[in-house]
Amino acid sequence: MKKQKVWFVTGASKGFGLSLVKQLLQQGHQVAATSRNVNALYTAIGRNDADFLPLRVDLTNEEEVGQAIEQTVGHFGSIDVVVNNAGYGLTGSLEELSDQEARQNFEVNVFGTLHVIRKVMPYLRQRQSGHIFNISSIGGFFGSFPGWGIYCATKFAVEGLSESLAEEVKAFGVKVTIVAPGYFRTDFLSSGSLTLPQHPIEAYKEVRESQDMHQNSLNGNQSGDPEKAVAAIIRIASEQNPPLHLFLGEDAYQMAYDKMKAVESDLESWREVTLSTAL
């Protein structure tokens, strides 16, 4: 029989997080799920039993994150899989977004993830096992989206820290997987998950067009099925040798190759200059 696991999932009241928690519970796993609103979790999941532990957590507060990890271990006895899913989108050119707007996006998308890693690693190290999934985005690998520079920067940061984390924790038997989805039919592009610039500059025509396209044309019409994406994550959690990089969606697959080809082209086109710096 397939071994059931204890999962700790952040940002669980909507989107990928909600779908993941529902599928996990249906499959008999035990799940601690975090949100800023516990009532929203109860309503969205629709069950209240010993296998489901809803937790109100502000991920930007490291003390609250630590308490949530302790509650999870106290309730279930262990943690096997961690999914750093919480985050939100932010559009706006680099010029028009304020320092406060940019920093807040980093606080949630990057430092929220770091808080969970810091607080959960002592348990995983002690058990000499575990699997951490950090939910990034194709925007954490391919950044050519006008108006998404700060959001992409947060996800590039998640990718970089995850690659280092994988090297740091493999000696403890802990695995790391970066999940980079393309466009999926979640509420990511809705007003509750996407923040707009407080002081837009109309001169940025391409940024405004991109913003309008994402909000009004693409929202609800994304090609990716979130239920299939979640099923893929659950499958990877059962693999003996899971990937460090997991791209999800045909669009993510293509953009990843486009990025690699562009880098290769620059490397080869400017090889002479690159190598000219050697002693």
Side-chain angles (χ1 to χ4, degrees):
M1 290 183 66
K2 185 166 61 176
K3 181 180 181 293
Q4 304 308 302
K5 297 179 179 180
V6 177
W7 291 62
F8 182 89
V9 181
T10 70
S13 61
K14 57 186 177 181
F16 278 135
L18 177 59
S19 296
L20 177 60
V21 171
K22 286 183 174 180
Q23 285 196 30
L24 289 171
L25 290 171
Q26 289 170 358
Q27 293 178 25
H29 295 281
Q30 296 175 310
V31 184
T34 83
S35 174
R36 286 171 297 177
N37 187 332
V38 171
N39 290 331
L41 278 175
Y42 277 119
T43 301
I45 301 300
R47 61 188 282 178
N48 182 10
D49 55 61
D51 285 341
F52 174 51
L53 179 64
L55 298 165
R56 185 208 169 279
V57 180
D58 175 2
L59 291 174
T60 66
N61 185 319
E62 191 167 5
E63 184 177 349
E64 285 191 19
V65 172
Q67 292 170 352
I69 296 294
E70 290 178 4
Q71 285 180 267
T72 301
V73 174
H75 185 81
F76 293 123
S78 67
I79 296 176
D80 299 303
V81 185
V82 176
V83 182
N84 283 305
N85 168 72
Y88 70 94
L90 174 66
T91 65
S93 71
L94 296 179
E95 179 185 352
E96 66 195 2
L97 288 172
S98 68
D99 189 68
Q100 181 181 4
E101 289 170 294
R103 285 179 182 274
Q104 184 58 32
N105 205 210
F106 272 87
E107 284 290 337
V108 176
N109 294 5
V110 180
F111 287 97
T113 294
L114 284 172
H115 291 162
V116 174
I117 291 169
R118 286 196 199 100
K119 296 303 182 181
V120 79
M121 272 309 302
Y123 294 98
L124 302 186
R125 275 195 295 109
Q126 184 179 19
R127 297 184 70 236
Q128 294 286 292
S129 68
H131 196 158
I132 298 174
F133 286 86
N134 289 334
I135 307 300
S136 178
S137 163
I138 187 55
F141 189 80
F142 179 95
S144 300
F145 300 100
W148 292 84
I150 294 299
Y151 174 77
C152 286
T154 68
K155 293 304 185 180
F156 267 72
V158 168
E159 300 250 352
L161 70 87
S162 298
E163 290 183 0
S164 291
L165 178 67
E167 292 300 310
E168 294 168 358
V169 303
K170 66 181 180 181
F172 309 122
V174 178
K175 301 164 185 174
V176 176
T177 296
I178 307 162
V179 182
Y183 290 108
F184 281 81
R185 292 187 300 278
T186 67
D187 53 7
F188 176 75
L189 296 177
S190 65
S191 58
S193 298
L194 180 63
T195 300
L196 307 181
Q198 296 175 8
H199 303 288
I201 300 172
E202 293 307 316
Y204 282 99
K205 182 180 177 182
E206 289 185 341
V207 172
R208 299 284 81 79
E209 289 175 349
S210 174
Q211 181 181 311
D212 179 71
M213 184 274 290
H214 280 87
Q215 284 187 289
N216 300 313
S217 300
L218 187 59
N219 189 22
N221 297 308
Q222 299 96 320
S223 59
D225 182 342
E227 297 301 322
K228 291 182 179 179
V230 164
I233 293 171
I234 296 173
R235 172 191 166 182
I236 294 301
S238 67
E239 293 290 333
Q240 194 68 27
N241 297 298
L244 173 58
H245 296 276
L246 177 65
F247 294 93
L248 294 177
E250 185 177 349
D251 51 357
Y253 180 89
Q254 187 59 55
M255 281 187 271
Y257 266 108
D258 289 345
K259 170 66 176 285
M260 289 187 285
K261 289 176 183 176
V263 172
E264 182 180 26
S265 176
D266 283 346
L267 274 172
E268 296 307 319
S269 296
W270 298 96
R271 181 175 182 273
E272 182 181 353
V273 175
T274 299
L275 301 183
S276 70
T277 59
L279 288 176

